[in-house]
Every structure is written in structure tokens, then in C-alpha cells.
Amino acid sequence: MKIVAAKLIVCSPDRNFVTLKIETDEGIYGLGDATLNGRELAVASYLEEHVIPCLIGRDPFAIEDVWQYLYRGAYWRRGPVTMTAISAVDVALWDIKGKALHTPIYNLLGGKSRQGVLVYAHANGSDIPGAIESTKKLMAEGYLAVRVQCGVPGVASSYGVPKGSKPYEPAERGLPSENVWSTERYLNFVPQLFEALRREVGEDVHLLHDVHHRLTPIEAARLGKALEPYHLYWMEDPTPAEDQDAFRLIRQHTVTPIATGEVFNSFWDAHDLIRNQWVDYLRMTIVHGGGITALKKAADFAAVYQVKTGFHGATDLSPVTMAAALHFGLAIHNFGIQEHMPHTSLTDQVFPHAYRFDAGYMVPGDEPGLGVDIDERLAQKYPYQRAYLPIARKLDGTLTDW
Ligand code: CS2
Ligand code: MG
């Protein structure tokens, strides 16, 4: 079998997606997600100009060699654009292999290790009653794990809190919006949120919270300690993770489990975090971390140190990535939990898929390969529109992590 063509499908059904389609001389094609929220065309250009010409004529079954060729052979390596491009090729080749061998990808990763993949959903509220109501609604839908984000009194708009009744979609069309942030008000407020949540929803549901990189290590340590009575499943991205050593300090002060890594694009971003057990869950994703091939290596390394996976699964990761993550999560032993922000119905129409939700768990389905397709004619009706993630400034105007 040979790769004979590859193309990009850039579309925007409610939000931007970049999809790579690799075609073979036997009529089998594979899909890869190349979406990098707010930087979509950078990845599209990297693939179009620098990667696709090197793929034509290659054996699509030689997944490891193609990965090494695109990573090691590129000389300039790592970074979100490069690794998202490599991820897209890698996942498309796994899709082709599954289709050619008439088996779902999870079977190529060791087969089922569990019946379903535990997922968590997003509860959002502009205030504590709203956050509690949103959490209860998701529990009624069958979710066993809920991430809760809430507006902070005195902070006009912040990460994770939707404006109006529309589902939360962080990237906004047009230029970056500016959020205002107050660490002090946030630190004083979040323990009250989870104290009220535990009182209202009980002790059994898994509660998660995303700090979203916004605290210093000692502030994160303070928050982790304050949240211990409410036994969160995890406190996510407590501090910017460029400084892996910062997590040592947090770990010295609190037993609240920690998850980080959705912005990672290489195993090396997490190397010290894992081998020192400074984190409990690795959030690095298949679409931004180098694909199934790279994440299998990272997950296996993490397993040695009892670190589990907790992959990112926001709506800016397409259904192609959701499917790949579910195959991956069904098969590997040290799976922890999978984020599940359902896409809009229009997105699901553009990307018909076999995966489904059932009573707190998801399964990828048993179709050969990924079990996802793309309706190219429908996709064309929704052309790309530049969009940006917001930026944040402190009350005094200092730019800070959003
Ligand atoms: C968040 C994301 O889902 C999460 O954990 O961190 O919503 C993140 O802000 C977006 O994916 C960024 O594109
Ligand atoms: Mg996050």
C-alpha cells in the first residue's frame, strides 16, 4: 500500500477545525486532527508546505518510521505547531492501518483493558447557585465526574465561565478579548464554591477544577490545601508548567491530586513531573503531543511512576481526536479519566462518528480504524474564520495567564 495524496480540510462549523486526509492507492484513507486553537492556519501551512510533499509514495503502515522521519528528520523539533502537524499524520496512519486490518484502533493498542472510558463534563456557573445547578444537571445526565468552573465575585469575566446561555467556547472570532483577573478574589472564593458543592451534591461524584495556569506555586499550594476537605479528583494546571520544578513546591504542601499537560507537545515537557511524581495525571493530548505513537510512549513512561492519563478533550479538539483518545483510553492500563466537552450538533454532522456516551462512560465503537468520518461537502459550507483565545490582565493592568 502507498500514500498517493494528502489534503487539508479547514472548516468552521461553530468553531475552526483543521483535518488532514491521507489517501492510499488501495482506496483506504485516514483522518488526522490538526487543530491548534487560535493558530489553525500555522499548522495547515506547516503540513501543506513542509510535510505532505514528503509523505507521497510512503508506506502508510510504517507508522513509527514516518513519525521519526517527521520528528527527528525535521531537525527543528517540538513546539505546538510542529507536533500538532506530526500528530495529524500519525493518527491518520493509525486510522488507515485499522481500516486495512478491519479492526478498531484499540485492538492495535493491546485491546480492551476496560468496558468503557470514564469521562468528565464541564459544569459552569456565573455564581455558586448556578454552578451547583449545572453540576446537578450533568449528574442527572449520568456523568460520574464533573469539572466545575464559576464566576468569581468582583472578576467580570474569567476562564471557563460562558457569557449568556451558549455553551462555553473560549476562542472568539475577531481579535483577542481581554479578561480581568484577581488572584486574591479567586483564592478566597474557590474553597467556598467546593464547600457548597460538596454540601449540595454529596461525597461520591468526582469533582475537578481547572486553575488554568493562573497561580504561583505557593498560591497553588494554598489552594490545594484549602480544597483538601472536598477531596477533588484533581486540581488542574495549578501553575504555568514551563517550570516543572515549581510542582515540587506544590506537592510539599498538599495532597490534592494534580493534573497538567494539555499545553505540552513533547514527553520532555513532562519528564521531571512524571519521574518525581509531582503530578498524578498527564493531560497531554494526542492532537498536540505527537499523535498516538508519541502518547503511547509517554503513557508507558508515566505508568512506571503510577501517573495516569487524563487527556484534554475540549471542543477545540475535533471529533477525530475524541475518537483517538477513546480508543487509547480503552486500551492502556494506566488510563485515568477523559475530558468530554460535547461538540455542537453541527460539528457532529460534519464529523459523523461511532463513539457514544453511556452512564458516565464513553466507548469509541468497533468500526475499523477511528470510527470517524468527515462530510467534506458540508464542511465546505462553513469556511474558516480567524479566532483567538482571550488574554487576561490583573486589576492593575498587568498581563497575566488567561
Ligand atoms: C481547558 C480548555 O478544557 C480545558 O481543560 O483548559 O478549555 C482550554 O482552555 C482550551 O482547550 C484552549 O484552547
Ligand atoms: Mg485545562
Side-chain angles (χ1 to χ4, degrees):
M1 187 186 288
K2 289 272 180 276
I3 294 171
V4 293
K7 67 177 179 180
L8 291 166
I9 300 152
V10 183
C11 63
S12 194
D14 295 320
R15 58 145 299 105
N16 292 322
F17 293 109
V18 179
T19 306
L20 173 68
K21 183 172 185 177
I22 296 180
E23 299 173 270
T24 69
D25 58 355
E26 294 187 16
I28 294 174
Y29 64 84
L31 297 180
D33 183 10
T35 306
L36 182 61
N37 203 4
R39 298 294 183 269
E40 293 86 358
L41 296 192
V43 182
S45 170
Y46 189 93
L47 282 162
E48 195 80 67
E49 296 300 324
H50 306 297
V51 172
I52 288 174
C54 302
L55 295 178
I56 308 307
R58 287 188 175 277
D59 172 5
F61 267 47
I63 297 176
E64 181 71 32
D65 184 61
V66 170
W67 194 94
Q68 297 294 342
Y69 182 93
L70 295 178
Y71 179 80
R72 219 167 284 282
Y75 191 76
W76 311 110
R77 58 186 65 172
R78 296 174 64 180
V81 172
T82 300
M83 298 313 289
T84 300
I86 293 176
S87 302
V89 174
D90 186 74
V91 172
L93 298 185
W94 281 96
D95 192 19
I96 289 168
K97 182 165 279 192
K99 288 174 177 175
L101 299 178
H102 310 291
T103 190
I105 286 176
Y106 68 76
N107 270 339
L108 303 176
L109 298 173
K112 283 185 180 178
S113 295
R114 51 194 60 80
Q115 289 313 306
V117 171
L118 176 67
V119 292
Y120 73 87
H122 284 199
N124 302 301
S126 53
D127 56 20
I128 290 179
I132 289 171
E133 183 189 349
S134 178
T135 303
K136 286 181 173 178
K137 179 172 177 295
L138 290 165
M139 292 169 66
E141 290 172 15
Y143 285 96
L144 304 173
V146 181
R147 186 196 81 163
V148 188
Q149 306 297 130
C150 186
V152 175
V155 176
S157 63
S158 71
Y159 164 73
V161 182
K163 299 184 184 89
S165 58
K166 287 183 71 177
Y168 182 60
E169 184 56 72
E172 295 161 331
R173 288 161 178 168
L175 293 176
S177 64
E178 298 215 351
N179 286 193
V180 175
W181 177 248
S182 163
T183 296
E184 297 73 16
R185 292 175 186 171
Y186 171 79
L187 284 174
N188 291 335
F189 174 73
V190 172
Q192 299 170 39
L193 168 66
F194 284 94
E195 190 274 332
L197 275 162
R198 279 295 180 212
R199 190 176 60 244
E200 289 293 324
V201 301
E203 301 298 323
D204 296 339
V205 61
H206 296 307
L207 294 178
L208 304 86
H209 181 65
D210 192 348
V211 183
H212 217 256
H213 326 274
R214 295 177 292 193
L215 299 179
T216 64
I218 200 65
E219 290 166 348
R222 170 184 158 188
L223 181 60
K225 276 172 75 80
L227 292 174
E228 285 176 3
Y230 317 116
H231 57 92
L232 266 61
Y233 189 89
W234 78 35
M235 175 171 72
E236 176 184 339
D237 283 334
T239 193
E242 291 93 328
D243 175 9
Q244 296 185 50
D245 221 44
F247 287 72
R248 180 209 312 260
L249 189 148
I250 302 169
R251 211 50 155 186
Q252 285 165 352
H253 292 277
T254 180
V255 297
T256 292
I258 293 174
T260 199
E262 69 181 57
V263 296
F264 292 173
N265 52 78
S266 160
F267 155 79
W268 296 105
D269 295 334
H271 182 229
D272 294 343
L273 296 174
I274 292 170
R275 67 191 181 87
N276 293 301
Q277 295 175 322
W278 290 337
V279 294
D280 303 278
Y281 298 92
L282 179 63
R283 285 191 48 71
M284 197 171 151
T285 64
I286 288 171
V287 60
H288 299 135
I292 291 170
T293 300
L295 267 294
K296 188 68 173 66
K297 299 175 196 297
D300 288 345
F301 181 76
V304 172
Y305 295 93
Q306 302 188 65
V307 174
K308 295 180 180 176
T309 63
F311 287 175
H312 188 201
T315 42
D316 47 287
L317 286 56
S318 94
V320 172
T321 292
M322 191 73 224
L326 291 171
H327 284 281
F328 196 94
L330 201 63
I332 62 162
H333 182 256
N334 61 318
F335 167 78
I337 196 167
Q338 170 62 47
E339 180 174 8
H340 178 226
M341 264 180 93
H343 292 100
T344 63
S345 58
L346 179 57
T347 295
D348 287 345
Q349 288 171 51
V350 172
F351 294 94
H353 53 263
Y355 60 76
R356 65 186 187 281
F357 173 84
D358 179 21
Y361 294 80
M362 290 183 76
V363 291
D366 295 310
E367 288 184 19
L370 283 169
V372 186
D373 205 345
I374 186 165
D375 181 333
E376 294 186 50
R377 273 171 13 89
L378 185 57
Q380 278 175 352
K381 290 183 181 175
Y382 305 96
Y384 166 82
Q385 296 181 58
R386 188 172 59 201
Y388 287 91
L389 288 170
I391 65 114
R393 291 187 183 277
K394 292 184 178 176
L395 297 174
D396 69 359
T398 306
L399 194 107
T400 187
D401 291 282
W402 163 67

